Amino acid sequence: MLSAQLPRTRPPAPPSTTGREPIGRAALSVVAVVTLLSVVRAFGPLTYPGDIWRQSDTATIARNFATGGMQLFYPQINWGGAGPGYVETEFPLMPWLSAALYEVFGEHAWLGRLVSLVFMLVATAAFWGLARRLLPVRVARWALVAFAVSPAFMRYGTAFMPEATVLACYLLALLAFCRWLQEDRRIWLVAAAAATSAAALVKPTSLHIGVVLGIWLALAAPSRLRRPSLYLAGVAALVAPALWLWHGARLHAEYGNTFGVLSGGDSKWGSLALWFSPAFYLGNLKTETIFVYGLVGVPLAVLGVVWLWRRRSAGTPTGSVFPLVVGGVVALVVYYFAVGRYSSSDLGIQYHIYSLPYAAICTGAGLGAAAEWLRPRLSATVFAVVSGLAVVALGAQSVNVLAESLRSSAGAFGTCADALTQVSAPGQLVVVGTTSRSVENGVPNNYQEPVIFYLADRKGWSLAADQQDPALLAQYRQEGARFYVAPDSDLVPAGGALSQWLGANATQVRSSGSDGCAVWALDHPVTTS
């Protein structure tokens, strides 16, 4: 009923075509507070069970860049066995920049996390540039607030992961494309192609932006679909990502290490069985509701969609934003189905980072609609208090993310890493067991456990839960492994084949009854002449 009562006699000011409206002290203050809290979080531990594995791998790549000569085209992980550990991964811009800071200030994980924060602030500035060109200024400010207080901002704005980096490139592409639509200057089409290319390099999953831009253009300026320059720009945007993917596949073929980007080793794709499972829909809905909209944002976004729908015509102030939202929603639905194995899982919350700009636009529109209805009905003081309470409620889940992130999630991995550093030397190779399987439900899986390797700064092999075979461990010992680490007691059940082999060929040097972590020194294999 609220949206139905919105005043029609006082339409909001039209959106800017120049984008020069001030951000406003209130919105700027919210961004400043969130930034300050994010800096605090940057000095905390690598955290969240669903993120710590990726943060450990990214931080490991940064460390190896700093110690291995800053070879941008050869990212290295620590679970590559006795080899150099070159790995097929996304273009490692964020860890390489972090390593460059290591060269100046020494290795500190918070440096890499501040790199992410810088990219998140670039994303925030790009979002503001986009919103103030497409929305009335007051609504654009509310959208900016919704963007800044989203749990996705707090969780990934200082994560040692490439999510903030790709979001910055993604939003720069949307902003440049918006300016091309509004100004019809070729330079902005070139800029959109360049930013799209950068986003696809950092994370190929961002390529769904092509669907967003295509729908946006088809609804907002269909006559431009006949321009050859549009398709030339699209093809040009794919050249660098295609070359990098080809290079990464070669690294995988030669060194056997991959994150499952293109050439195997892991599968992110959805399937009919998954799509017909209620867990797929509930998992995606849960992630969006909690980690993008922060719970309170859901009803506000619904109100915002109604508000945008009523103003969808080309001649109204927000006519140009509705095609963008439609394109974003359609593209994200297709994308979440495509990467369904992770998008619906707690291990794939980061896959939802792309929802943030569209969610913020809708939530901001809902907040703006509510504000327009309330403003003439309340005194200035009461309205300011209600607005502040709305922001606090919207950001409550972000505060929870901050609080949770200040507690270490390393658990048994941290225990094992401490034990391993006590009994081994930096150059000694190790084998780390993991409860993940190399194949799950017939699908290849990235089972490698990077947390212990990173925290202990050791290299070696990972042994999947379905590979706890004495013969394989003996092979790794023959190739130079000197320690075996089991972060879970179920990996070495009493009386099992692996337990018996370790009893005959290794010496247990560390154990922990609290979390089941155990470390064995592998006795040197007997050689015969």
Side-chain angles (χ1 to χ4, degrees), residues 96-185:
W96 191 88
L97 292 174
S98 303
L101 292 177
Y102 289 178
E103 294 280 274
V104 178
F105 301 104
E107 184 187 338
H108 304 284
W110 52 265
L111 287 170
R113 303 179 78 176
L114 290 179
V115 168
S116 280
L117 181 57
V118 169
F119 276 112
M120 186 58 88
L121 293 177
V122 171
T124 305
F127 178 78
W128 169 245
L130 181 70
R132 67 186 179 180
R133 285 173 172 83
L134 297 176
L135 294 165
V137 63
R138 286 181 177 174
V139 178
R141 289 169 181 160
W142 278 116
L144 178 64
V145 169
F147 185 96
V149 302
S150 168
F153 186 113
M154 183 60 68
R155 181 157 179 168
Y156 296 110
T158 50
F160 212 130
M161 300 167 66
E163 270 56 42
T165 309
V166 72
L167 185 63
C169 298
Y170 187 93
L171 275 162
L172 286 171
L174 292 179
L175 174 59
F177 197 78
C178 175
R179 297 199 64 170
W180 178 65
L181 286 174
Q182 292 181 340
E183 302 172 27
D184 199 11
R185 295 172 58 198

Side-chain angles (χ1 to χ4, degrees), residues 50 103 177 189 211 270 300 302 341 345 347 394 405 415 426 472 490 509-510:
E103 294 280 274
F177 197 78
L189 181 61
V211 178
L300 290 169
V302 171
R341 181 166 175 255
S345 164
L347 294 177
L394 194 61
S405 68
T415 303
L472 190 54
D490 289 341
V509 291
R510 288 291 186 275

